[in-house]
Short mmCIF file of all heavy atoms in Angstrom, two decimals:
data_model
loop_
_atom_site.label_atom_id
_atom_site.label_comp_id
_atom_site.label_asym_id
_atom_site.label_seq_id
_atom_site.Cartn_x
_atom_site.Cartn_y
_atom_site.Cartn_z
N ILE A 304 119.72 81.00 126.69
CA ILE A 304 121.14 81.16 126.15
C ILE A 304 121.49 80.04 125.23
O ILE A 304 122.09 80.34 124.13
CB ILE A 304 122.15 81.17 127.39
CG1 ILE A 304 121.84 82.49 128.21
CG2 ILE A 304 123.58 81.09 126.91
CD1 ILE A 304 122.62 82.48 129.51
N HIS A 305 121.05 78.85 125.56
CA HIS A 305 121.35 77.75 124.59
C HIS A 305 120.68 78.00 123.23
O HIS A 305 121.29 77.76 122.18
CB HIS A 305 120.75 76.41 125.15
CG HIS A 305 121.72 75.84 126.07
ND1 HIS A 305 121.75 74.49 126.47
CD2 HIS A 305 122.85 76.27 126.75
CE1 HIS A 305 122.69 74.15 127.31
NE2 HIS A 305 123.36 75.28 127.50
N LEU A 307 120.03 80.93 121.92
CA LEU A 307 120.81 82.00 121.24
C LEU A 307 122.12 81.45 120.66
O LEU A 307 122.45 81.79 119.54
CB LEU A 307 121.13 83.13 122.26
CG LEU A 307 122.03 84.20 121.83
CD1 LEU A 307 121.47 85.03 120.67
CD2 LEU A 307 122.31 85.16 123.04
N VAL A 308 122.81 80.65 121.42
CA VAL A 308 124.04 80.10 121.03
C VAL A 308 123.88 79.18 119.75
O VAL A 308 124.58 79.14 118.80
CB VAL A 308 124.74 79.38 122.17
CG1 VAL A 308 125.99 78.59 121.68
CG2 VAL A 308 125.12 80.40 123.23
N LYS A 309 122.76 78.32 119.83
CA LYS A 309 122.54 77.38 118.79
C LYS A 309 122.15 78.17 117.51
O LYS A 309 122.50 77.79 116.41
CB LYS A 309 121.39 76.48 119.12
CG LYS A 309 121.83 75.36 120.10
CD LYS A 309 120.63 74.42 120.39
CE LYS A 309 120.99 73.38 121.47
NZ LYS A 309 119.78 72.66 121.85
N ALA A 311 123.30 81.15 116.78
CA ALA A 311 124.55 81.66 116.21
C ALA A 311 125.34 80.63 115.46
O ALA A 311 125.91 80.86 114.54
CB ALA A 311 125.35 82.29 117.36
N GLY A 312 125.31 79.41 116.04
CA GLY A 312 126.00 78.27 115.41
C GLY A 312 125.41 77.87 114.09
O GLY A 312 126.02 77.33 113.23
N TRP A 343 125.54 87.11 130.99
CA TRP A 343 126.27 86.07 130.26
C TRP A 343 126.99 86.66 129.05
O TRP A 343 128.13 86.42 128.72
CB TRP A 343 125.28 84.92 129.81
CG TRP A 343 126.00 83.76 129.18
CD1 TRP A 343 126.57 82.69 129.82
CD2 TRP A 343 126.24 83.63 127.74
NE1 TRP A 343 127.14 81.85 128.91
CE2 TRP A 343 126.93 82.34 127.65
CE3 TRP A 343 125.89 84.33 126.63
CZ2 TRP A 343 127.35 81.91 126.41
CZ3 TRP A 343 126.37 83.87 125.38
CH2 TRP A 343 127.06 82.66 125.29
N TYR A 347 130.62 86.48 127.37
CA TYR A 347 130.79 85.65 126.18
C TYR A 347 130.42 86.37 124.88
O TYR A 347 130.52 85.71 123.86
CB TYR A 347 129.92 84.39 126.40
CG TYR A 347 130.48 83.42 127.49
CD1 TYR A 347 129.97 83.49 128.79
CD2 TYR A 347 131.53 82.59 127.25
CE1 TYR A 347 130.50 82.67 129.78
CE2 TYR A 347 132.02 81.76 128.25
CZ TYR A 347 131.49 81.82 129.49
OH TYR A 347 132.03 81.00 130.49
N GLY A 348 130.03 87.62 125.00
CA GLY A 348 129.59 88.29 123.76
C GLY A 348 130.53 88.17 122.62
O GLY A 348 130.14 88.05 121.45
N GLU A 349 131.83 88.23 122.90
CA GLU A 349 132.86 88.16 121.96
C GLU A 349 132.72 86.86 121.04
O GLU A 349 133.17 86.88 119.86
CB GLU A 349 134.16 88.19 122.59
CG GLU A 349 135.41 88.51 121.80
CD GLU A 349 136.72 88.36 122.54
OE1 GLU A 349 136.74 88.74 123.72
OE2 GLU A 349 137.67 87.88 121.94
N THR A 350 132.19 85.85 121.67
CA THR A 350 132.09 84.54 120.94
C THR A 350 130.78 84.42 120.14
O THR A 350 130.53 83.47 119.52
CB THR A 350 132.20 83.32 121.86
OG1 THR A 350 130.96 83.28 122.62
CG2 THR A 350 133.36 83.46 122.83
N ILE A 351 129.95 85.56 120.24
CA ILE A 351 128.65 85.59 119.55
C ILE A 351 128.55 86.77 118.55
O ILE A 351 128.43 86.58 117.41
CB ILE A 351 127.51 85.71 120.61
CG1 ILE A 351 127.51 84.58 121.69
CG2 ILE A 351 126.19 85.82 119.92
CD1 ILE A 351 127.15 83.26 121.06
N TYR A 352 128.66 87.99 119.09
CA TYR A 352 128.59 89.15 118.16
C TYR A 352 129.62 89.03 117.08
O TYR A 352 130.81 88.77 117.36
CB TYR A 352 128.84 90.46 118.99
CG TYR A 352 127.93 90.71 120.10
CD1 TYR A 352 128.43 90.99 121.43
CD2 TYR A 352 126.52 90.83 119.91
CE1 TYR A 352 127.56 91.23 122.45
CE2 TYR A 352 125.69 91.04 120.92
CZ TYR A 352 126.14 91.31 122.23
OH TYR A 352 125.34 91.56 123.20
N THR A 354 130.15 87.08 114.86
CA THR A 354 130.64 85.83 114.35
C THR A 354 129.78 85.37 113.25
O THR A 354 128.67 85.96 113.03
CB THR A 354 130.66 84.74 115.52
OG1 THR A 354 129.33 84.54 115.94
CG2 THR A 354 131.51 85.15 116.69
N ARG A 355 130.15 84.28 112.61
CA ARG A 355 129.31 83.52 111.70
C ARG A 355 129.29 82.03 112.14
O ARG A 355 130.20 81.67 112.90
CB ARG A 355 129.88 83.68 110.28
CG ARG A 355 130.00 85.11 109.77
CD ARG A 355 128.55 85.76 109.56
NE ARG A 355 128.60 87.12 109.08
CZ ARG A 355 128.58 88.19 109.88
NH1 ARG A 355 128.50 88.04 111.15
NH2 ARG A 355 128.64 89.40 109.31
N GLY A 357 130.19 78.55 112.61
CA GLY A 357 131.55 77.99 112.47
C GLY A 357 131.68 76.92 111.40
O GLY A 357 130.68 76.30 111.02
N ARG A 362 126.49 69.95 116.39
CA ARG A 362 126.61 68.56 116.77
C ARG A 362 125.70 68.43 118.00
O ARG A 362 125.21 69.41 118.56
CB ARG A 362 128.02 68.27 117.24
CG ARG A 362 128.98 68.13 116.10
CD ARG A 362 128.81 66.76 115.42
NE ARG A 362 129.78 66.42 114.44
CZ ARG A 362 129.80 66.90 113.17
NH1 ARG A 362 128.86 67.77 112.74
NH2 ARG A 362 130.73 66.50 112.29
N ASP A 363 125.52 67.17 118.52
CA ASP A 363 124.72 66.98 119.72
C ASP A 363 125.27 67.73 120.93
O ASP A 363 124.56 68.16 121.78
CB ASP A 363 124.76 65.45 120.05
CG ASP A 363 123.86 64.59 119.20
OD1 ASP A 363 123.12 65.27 118.42
OD2 ASP A 363 123.98 63.40 119.21
N TRP A 364 126.58 67.80 120.97
CA TRP A 364 127.25 68.50 122.16
C TRP A 364 127.20 69.97 122.12
O TRP A 364 127.42 70.66 123.12
CB TRP A 364 128.73 68.06 122.34
CG TRP A 364 129.56 68.05 121.06
CD1 TRP A 364 129.85 66.99 120.19
CD2 TRP A 364 130.16 69.17 120.40
NE1 TRP A 364 130.60 67.44 119.19
CE2 TRP A 364 130.78 68.77 119.28
CE3 TRP A 364 130.14 70.55 120.78
CZ2 TRP A 364 131.52 69.67 118.40
CZ3 TRP A 364 130.88 71.52 119.92
CH2 TRP A 364 131.54 70.99 118.82
N GLY A 365 126.90 70.55 120.91
CA GLY A 365 126.91 71.98 120.78
C GLY A 365 127.14 72.50 119.42
O GLY A 365 126.95 71.80 118.44
N VAL A 366 127.68 73.70 119.35
CA VAL A 366 127.88 74.35 118.03
C VAL A 366 129.28 75.06 118.05
O VAL A 366 129.88 75.25 119.04
CB VAL A 366 126.76 75.41 117.67
CG1 VAL A 366 125.44 74.74 117.72
CG2 VAL A 366 126.85 76.51 118.72
N THR A 367 129.63 75.57 116.83
CA THR A 367 130.84 76.44 116.79
C THR A 367 130.44 77.78 116.07
O THR A 367 129.53 77.77 115.29
CB THR A 367 131.92 75.79 115.95
OG1 THR A 367 131.48 75.65 114.56
CG2 THR A 367 132.32 74.47 116.50
N THR A 368 131.12 78.82 116.52
CA THR A 368 131.04 80.09 115.79
C THR A 368 132.42 80.56 115.51
O THR A 368 133.41 80.02 116.03
CB THR A 368 130.39 81.16 116.79
OG1 THR A 368 131.12 81.26 117.95
CG2 THR A 368 128.93 80.86 117.07
N GLN A 369 132.57 81.51 114.57
CA GLN A 369 133.89 81.77 114.00
C GLN A 369 133.97 83.25 113.74
O GLN A 369 133.04 83.94 113.27
CB GLN A 369 133.90 81.00 112.75
CG GLN A 369 135.20 80.99 112.02
CD GLN A 369 135.16 80.00 110.86
OE1 GLN A 369 134.40 79.02 110.83
NE2 GLN A 369 135.91 80.31 109.82
N LEU A 374 138.06 80.06 116.26
CA LEU A 374 136.91 79.19 116.22
C LEU A 374 136.50 78.96 117.61
O LEU A 374 137.29 78.58 118.49
CB LEU A 374 137.23 77.82 115.54
CG LEU A 374 136.04 76.92 115.43
CD1 LEU A 374 135.11 77.45 114.22
CD2 LEU A 374 136.41 75.48 115.10
N TYR A 375 135.19 79.36 117.94
CA TYR A 375 134.72 79.19 119.28
C TYR A 375 133.89 77.90 119.37
O TYR A 375 132.91 77.72 118.61
CB TYR A 375 133.89 80.34 119.70
CG TYR A 375 134.63 81.63 119.63
CD1 TYR A 375 134.41 82.53 118.59
CD2 TYR A 375 135.59 82.04 120.67
CE1 TYR A 375 135.16 83.75 118.50
CE2 TYR A 375 136.34 83.15 120.57
CZ TYR A 375 136.07 84.02 119.47
OH TYR A 375 136.85 85.21 119.47
N VAL A 376 134.34 77.01 120.21
CA VAL A 376 133.60 75.71 120.36
C VAL A 376 132.71 75.83 121.52
O VAL A 376 133.20 75.99 122.72
CB VAL A 376 134.64 74.50 120.57
CG1 VAL A 376 133.85 73.21 120.74
CG2 VAL A 376 135.59 74.54 119.40
N HIS A 377 131.39 75.87 121.30
CA HIS A 377 130.44 76.08 122.38
C HIS A 377 129.91 74.67 122.89
O HIS A 377 129.09 74.02 122.17
CB HIS A 377 129.17 76.85 121.89
CG HIS A 377 129.57 78.27 121.49
ND1 HIS A 377 129.43 79.33 122.36
CD2 HIS A 377 130.07 78.76 120.31
CE1 HIS A 377 129.86 80.49 121.64
NE2 HIS A 377 130.19 80.11 120.47
N ILE A 378 130.34 74.28 123.98
CA ILE A 378 129.93 72.96 124.55
C ILE A 378 128.79 73.13 125.45
O ILE A 378 128.87 73.73 126.57
CB ILE A 378 131.21 72.31 125.27
CG1 ILE A 378 132.32 72.22 124.30
CG2 ILE A 378 130.77 70.91 125.75
CD1 ILE A 378 133.63 71.85 124.89
N LEU A 379 127.60 72.64 125.02
CA LEU A 379 126.37 72.88 125.71
C LEU A 379 125.95 71.70 126.53
O LEU A 379 125.10 71.75 127.38
CB LEU A 379 125.23 73.31 124.71
CG LEU A 379 125.53 74.51 123.83
CD1 LEU A 379 124.55 74.71 122.73
CD2 LEU A 379 125.79 75.73 124.68
N ASN A 380 126.54 70.58 126.08
CA ASN A 380 125.97 69.32 126.56
C ASN A 380 126.93 68.16 126.36
O ASN A 380 126.99 67.59 125.24
CB ASN A 380 124.66 69.12 125.74
CG ASN A 380 124.04 67.76 125.84
OD1 ASN A 380 124.14 67.19 126.89
ND2 ASN A 380 123.32 67.37 124.79
N LEU A 386 136.56 65.78 124.11
CA LEU A 386 135.65 66.07 122.99
C LEU A 386 136.36 66.00 121.67
O LEU A 386 137.39 66.62 121.44
CB LEU A 386 135.01 67.48 123.17
CG LEU A 386 134.05 67.93 122.03
CD1 LEU A 386 132.79 67.03 122.03
CD2 LEU A 386 133.71 69.36 122.19
N VAL A 388 136.34 67.07 117.93
CA VAL A 388 135.76 68.11 117.03
C VAL A 388 136.20 67.80 115.60
O VAL A 388 137.48 67.78 115.32
CB VAL A 388 136.29 69.47 117.49
CG1 VAL A 388 135.59 70.53 116.59
CG2 VAL A 388 135.96 69.76 118.98
N PHE A 401 137.77 79.78 127.05
CA PHE A 401 137.58 81.16 126.79
C PHE A 401 137.52 82.10 127.94
O PHE A 401 138.07 83.14 127.99
CB PHE A 401 136.20 81.33 125.88
CG PHE A 401 135.96 82.80 125.57
CD1 PHE A 401 136.63 83.46 124.58
CD2 PHE A 401 135.02 83.45 126.41
CE1 PHE A 401 136.38 84.82 124.35
CE2 PHE A 401 134.75 84.86 126.16
CZ PHE A 401 135.46 85.51 125.14
N LEU A 418 139.90 67.64 122.25
CA LEU A 418 140.13 68.49 123.33
C LEU A 418 140.04 67.68 124.64
O LEU A 418 139.10 66.85 124.78
CB LEU A 418 139.04 69.63 123.35
CG LEU A 418 138.84 70.45 122.09
CD1 LEU A 418 137.62 71.34 122.24
CD2 LEU A 418 140.11 71.29 121.83
N ILE A 427 127.02 76.67 131.65
CA ILE A 427 125.86 76.83 130.71
C ILE A 427 126.33 76.64 129.35
O ILE A 427 125.76 75.91 128.54
CB ILE A 427 125.24 78.25 130.91
CG1 ILE A 427 124.55 78.33 132.23
CG2 ILE A 427 124.32 78.52 129.74
CD1 ILE A 427 123.86 79.67 132.48
N ASP A 428 127.47 77.22 128.97
CA ASP A 428 128.11 77.05 127.70
C ASP A 428 129.59 77.12 128.00
O ASP A 428 130.12 78.12 128.36
CB ASP A 428 127.70 78.20 126.76
CG ASP A 428 128.39 78.21 125.41
OD1 ASP A 428 129.13 77.19 125.17
OD2 ASP A 428 128.20 79.09 124.65
N TYR A 429 130.22 76.01 127.88
CA TYR A 429 131.70 75.88 128.08
C TYR A 429 132.39 76.20 126.74
O TYR A 429 132.29 75.45 125.81
CB TYR A 429 132.08 74.47 128.57
CG TYR A 429 133.51 74.39 129.11
CD1 TYR A 429 133.82 74.68 130.45
CD2 TYR A 429 134.53 73.95 128.24
CE1 TYR A 429 135.08 74.48 130.90
CE2 TYR A 429 135.82 73.79 128.74
CZ TYR A 429 136.08 74.05 130.06
OH TYR A 429 137.38 73.90 130.55
N VAL A 430 133.01 77.42 126.69
CA VAL A 430 133.51 77.87 125.40
C VAL A 430 134.96 77.59 125.31
O VAL A 430 135.73 78.09 126.19
CB VAL A 430 133.23 79.39 125.15
CG1 VAL A 430 133.59 79.77 123.75
CG2 VAL A 430 131.67 79.61 125.27
N VAL A 431 135.45 77.00 124.29
CA VAL A 431 136.85 76.75 123.98
C VAL A 431 137.20 77.66 122.75
O VAL A 431 136.44 77.62 121.79
CB VAL A 431 137.17 75.28 123.73
CG1 VAL A 431 138.64 75.05 123.35
CG2 VAL A 431 136.81 74.43 124.95
N GLU A 432 138.27 78.37 122.95
CA GLU A 432 138.75 79.27 121.86
C GLU A 432 139.87 78.60 121.15
O GLU A 432 140.94 78.40 121.76
CB GLU A 432 139.15 80.63 122.46
CG GLU A 432 139.66 81.62 121.40
CD GLU A 432 140.21 82.85 122.03
OE1 GLU A 432 139.41 83.62 122.68
OE2 GLU A 432 141.43 83.08 122.01
#
Side-chain angles (χ1 to χ4, degrees):
I304 290 171
H305 277 196
L307 173 64
V308 172
K309 284 181 185 171
W343 187 86
Y347 292 97
E349 196 185 320
T350 71
I351 301 289
Y352 300 125
T354 64
R355 299 293 180 266
R362 286 286 187 280
D363 286 347
W364 49 259
V366 300
T367 64
T368 55
Q369 187 175 331
L374 183 75
Y375 301 104
V376 181
H377 297 264
I378 303 168
L379 304 173
N380 170 28
L386 176 66
V388 183
F401 177 80
L418 304 173
I427 288 182
D428 176 7
Y429 190 87
V430 185
V431 176
E432 177 187 296

